[in-house]
Amino acid sequence: MSKPLTPEAVEAKRERERLVVTQMIGVYCRGNHKTPRGQLCPECAALTEYASARIGRCPFMATKTFCSQCRVHCYAPAQRQAIKDVMRYAGPRMLLSHPVMTVRHGIDTLRARQSHQ
């Protein structure tokens, strides 16, 4: 079992997660709503704000892997479905558009899973 994350490490993880979600929503928005790179449609901008707020309040950040695997689902049903759609679409495309971020996210996930075993 690995040692617990420091408060600073938890906040760094929280920021990385915000960045990953923001980038994934951007990939989704460009592909589905045809927005220019760096811009979001109002719907995707609202989802980004919603997800960022939820990440900011997550009490399980130090130990969680993916939100979908969490025992507490803090997203409202409509936003939960929207973020699932984003993840399904953007997940495979992230390796091409943001390879370093994708690999880092995978490493964070593996570390969190190993600490639960």
Side-chain angles (χ1 to χ4, degrees):
M1 189 125 175
S2 64
K3 63 182 180 175
L5 295 177
T6 66
E8 295 81 15
V10 171
E11 286 311 307
K13 182 180 175 191
R14 192 179 306 275
E15 285 309 309
R16 282 193 309 274
E17 187 156 330
R18 275 191 182 109
L19 184 58
V20 168
V21 169
T22 299
Q23 293 298 326
M24 290 184 91
I25 292 171
V27 167
Y28 176 85
C29 195
R30 277 191 306 281
N32 289 279
H33 304 144
K34 309 303 180 207
T35 55
R37 183 175 291 276
Q39 294 182 22
L40 296 174
C41 71
E43 178 184 327
C44 289
L47 183 60
T48 300
E49 281 186 41
Y50 184 87
S52 180
R54 293 296 185 232
I55 291 166
R57 292 188 203 112
C58 179
F60 306 109
M61 188 59 60
T63 59
K64 76 177 198 153
T65 55
F66 291 113
C67 292
S68 62
Q69 313 236 318
C70 188
R71 63 180 182 247
V72 176
H73 295 295
C74 62
Y75 281 51
Q79 286 83 359
R80 188 169 180 207
Q81 185 57 53
I83 205 74
K84 280 182 180 181
D85 293 344
V86 165
M87 300 295 167
R88 240 181 246 118
Y89 178 86
R93 291 163 175 84
M94 285 292 288
L95 194 53
L96 297 173
S97 60
H98 301 286
V100 174
M101 182 185 296
T102 304
V103 170
R104 178 67 189 254
H105 185 64
I107 290 169
D108 285 347
T109 299
L110 288 173
R111 284 182 181 155
R113 283 185 184 160
Q114 287 174 350
S115 71
H116 280 84
Q117 293 178 357

